[in-house]
């Protein structure tokens, strides 16, 4: 059975966040893992100008790897690309830095294909506040609310994975459309004795996300999983089951937060950008991914484990990617 | 007879260059003058980032004046917008400054709707050299030729109106697709005793432009017309006839170089950008437009004068805009 015919019979797999150094080795892993769609990160601290170059780099990658990947700006495109045996790429930002202070730039980046933007990455910015901040600040009442309204108008999905609880809740309430937590776990299941506890989300928050038709992407990033790198596949599927029970099967997906291909020096950029000379947290190198998820090649085994856990094939299809495709369909077009 | 029914029966009018402060007063003039399409200038010395804001400004103008104007990125869109009684806007640059030093930015701006770029505005840049330079420098052999090849690939029309003769000739030869001189006059007709003689083009150059299926836009900008602001409508139509005789009726159009709405202080930006603290030429204020072309409202009278001069209705249709629509049709799509 070749990859393509296997894929046509299997549920679509959507990974709601990966943050790799973009290169062909990753695209080949996606093919091997039958990944139909990946939301990729083009910017965290980059300025508008730098982000244009990041988009240019991706445009060339798309051209030079057209046998493996293609840009998707609608849910229909995602389905068509996945059905062709390739991986649909959704352009996204992990911080709103590319918008700078200019409301007009959101439309510019939407025209360039960007469909998801996280309001902030870990720290406070003009729009919202991040999970590293000690204060529970919310979405700013001027630029923040305008950005949410503009993203709603254009069809750019709001992501709050790295935001504070209050900023996340504000975004859910202020947004006229469903929003996403593309990559985080439920704090109540994982526990608070993990390294990045503040990245995970309260039960109250994820319930409200689901009530408003949003989706939560569960992540195998070791620093936010129960037992870290030693988290077993059974514990992960138990977290999936707990979350489905808590917020419903239509609101749960996968967002691995997987990354590969970077030198360790890259970590400083993620942690400190240009806003600090050093990382506030000592840089100890990359986390070790769990044995059962060394790369996206392992996606089919995860899907199999969900089936064994007792989810129906319909439920597995929703969790594996169907819920994300549904949310993307509701999110990527301009408001009428 | 209302505007729309008049326009449906009349030839499409295309103005291959205007450089106004963009505002509704201009769009109303275009409607009154039955102008079906205008190539507007979004950048001369602007950086990539600044140009994003210029595009943002225009995107809002399009939204807020949708009764009068709409963006066109193909010849079919130009025809449809003109037929609806509105004016089609073609986004363009008068210098390649928005591309900075980055070959990828050409595709970025093409995706944002830009369809025409002049290689340089008056002075030497990374890509070509301009008509103010004493030396007859050509297109640069590295970045310049790459930019031309990339514009050819994407479907962005090359304009050399303000380039040196040699840069213009190089662009014609290096380009695999026809190019444009959107706004300049034939030096042999106008004479060399005008203020901006070096803006006009040699007979040899415009013949070669036409041989390669390009189009020349004749301009009523006083500083490049015979007799300056005192140039009569008869002299202008004589120039049209001379040019048609010299390079053929398929290669002649109109590119007024009309501008309005700017404060006099804006002239310094055009003449000196950020590359000089003062204009090299004393700023004496704006030129006075000729009596018969005080604004684009006077386009129908110009068309009428061409008819009276003895051009057939087919010839008038080509000169008024048909040649530009043909060139735009051949120019605005990616190479297959």
């Amino acid at each position: 059975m070749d990859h393509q015919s296997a894929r046509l019979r299997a549920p679509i797999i959507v990974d709601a966040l990966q943050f790799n150094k973009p290169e062909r080795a990753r695209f080949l892993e996606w093919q091997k893992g039958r990944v139909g769609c990946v939301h990729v990160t083009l910017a965290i601290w980059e300025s508008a100008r730098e982000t244009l170059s990041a988009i240019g780099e991706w445009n060339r990658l798309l051209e030079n790897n057209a046998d493996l990947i293609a840009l998707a700006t609608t849910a229909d495109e995602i389905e068509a690309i996945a059905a062709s045996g390739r991986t649909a790429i959704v352009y996204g930002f992990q911080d709103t830095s590319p918008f700078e202070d200019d409301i007009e730039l959101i439309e510019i980046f939407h025209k360039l294909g960007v469909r998801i933007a996280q309001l902030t990455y870990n720290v406070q910015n003009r729009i919202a506040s991040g999970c590293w901040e000690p204060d529970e600040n919310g979405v700013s009442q001027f630029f923040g609310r305008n950005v949410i309204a503009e993203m709603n108008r254009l069809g750019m999905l709001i992501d709050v994975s790295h935001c504070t609880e209050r900023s996340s809740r504000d975004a859910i309430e202020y947004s006229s459309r469903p929003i996403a937590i593309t990559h985080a776990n439920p704090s109540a299941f994982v526990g608070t004795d993990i390294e990045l506890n503040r990245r995970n989300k309260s039960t109250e928050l994820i319930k409200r996300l689901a009530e408003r038709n949003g989706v939560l992407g569960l992540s195998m990033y070791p620093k936010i999983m129960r037992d870290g790198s030693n988290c077993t596949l059974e514990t992960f599927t138990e977290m999936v089951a707990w979350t489905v029970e808590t917020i419903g099967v239509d609101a749960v997906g996968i967002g691995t937060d997987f990354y590969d291909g970077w030198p360790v020096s890259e970590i400083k950029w993620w942690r400190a950008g240009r806003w600090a000379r050093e990382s506030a947290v000592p840089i100890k190198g990359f986390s070790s991914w769990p044995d059962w998820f060394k790369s996206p090649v392992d996606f089919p085994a995860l899907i199999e484990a969900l089936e064994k856990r007792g989810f129906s094939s319909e439920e597995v299809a929703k969790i594996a990617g169907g819920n994300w495709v549904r949310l993307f369909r509701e999110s990527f077009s301009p408001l009428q």
Side-chain angles (χ1 to χ4, degrees), chain A residues 32 74 81 83 110 153 168 184 208 247 278 289 305 308 326:
Chain A
K32 213 168 165 188
T74 66
I81 293 162
H110 190 271
R153 183 182 76 84
S168 303
R208 185 65 184 144
I247 67 173
E278 299 300 336
W289 292 88
K308 280 194 188 141
R326 186 270 303 164

Side-chain angles (χ1 to χ4, degrees), chain A residues 113-172:
Chain A
V114 177
R115 289 293 179 274
I116 303 177
Q118 181 165 268
L119 297 184
T120 179
Y121 186 74
N122 297 332
V123 296
Q124 180 169 321
N125 66 15
R126 288 184 183 89
I127 291 163
S129 198
C131 58
W132 284 11
E133 299 281 353
D135 292 332
E136 267 297 329
N137 290 339
V139 167
S140 63
Q141 291 302 299
F142 298 93
F143 196 42
R145 292 189 76 154
N146 282 335
V147 166
I148 287 174
E150 181 71 351
M151 291 176 73
N152 285 163
R153 183 182 76 84
L154 293 164
M156 193 182 286
L157 177 60
I158 294 159
D159 185 3
V160 293
S161 305
H162 286 247
C163 294
T164 60
E165 281 272 316
R166 189 172 153 218
S167 288
S168 303
R169 196 172 61 237
D170 281 356
I172 293 169

Side-chain angles (χ1 to χ4, degrees), chain A residues 64-86:
Chain A
N64 296 331
N65 297 278
D67 56 324
L68 295 175
I69 57 173
L71 183 66
T73 59
T74 66
D76 285 349
E77 287 174 354
I78 290 171
E79 290 179 327
I81 293 162
S84 76
R86 294 172 300 159

Side-chain angles (χ1 to χ4, degrees), chain A residues 261-276:
Chain A
W262 300 109
V264 173
S265 59
E266 190 72 14
I267 298 176
K268 189 175 154 233
W269 174 244
W270 304 342
R271 299 240 184 107
R274 272 180 290 251
W275 49 266

Side-chain angles (χ1 to χ4, degrees), chain A residues 234-285:
Chain A
E234 290 64 38
T235 301
F236 189 87
T237 55
E238 197 187 328
M239 176 168 72
V240 175
W242 183 93
T243 312
V244 165
E245 201 162 312
T246 307
I247 67 173
V249 73
D250 294 323
V252 180
I254 306 291
T256 61
D257 208 1
F258 185 77
Y259 54 77
D260 199 358
W262 300 109
V264 173
S265 59
E266 190 72 14
I267 298 176
K268 189 175 154 233
W269 174 244
W270 304 342
R271 299 240 184 107
R274 272 180 290 251
W275 49 266
R277 295 209 176 82
E278 299 300 336
S279 165
V281 184
I283 293 173
K284 292 176 291 187

Side-chain angles (χ1 to χ4, degrees), chain A residues 38-60:
Chain A
V38 178
H39 165 219
V40 300
T41 295
L42 279 76
I44 37 169
W45 311 115
E46 281 77 5
S47 67
R49 172 63 187 84
E50 290 165 334
T51 304
L52 295 185
S53 286
I55 294 173
E57 181 187 357
W58 264 104
N59 288 343
R60 288 290 72 66

Side-chain angles (χ1 to χ4, degrees), chain A residues 218-230:
Chain A
L218 297 173
S219 170
M220 47 284 277
Y221 178 48
K223 290 191 174 69
I224 59 173
M225 279 200 301
R226 187 195 279 182
D227 308 325
S229 295
N230 298 319

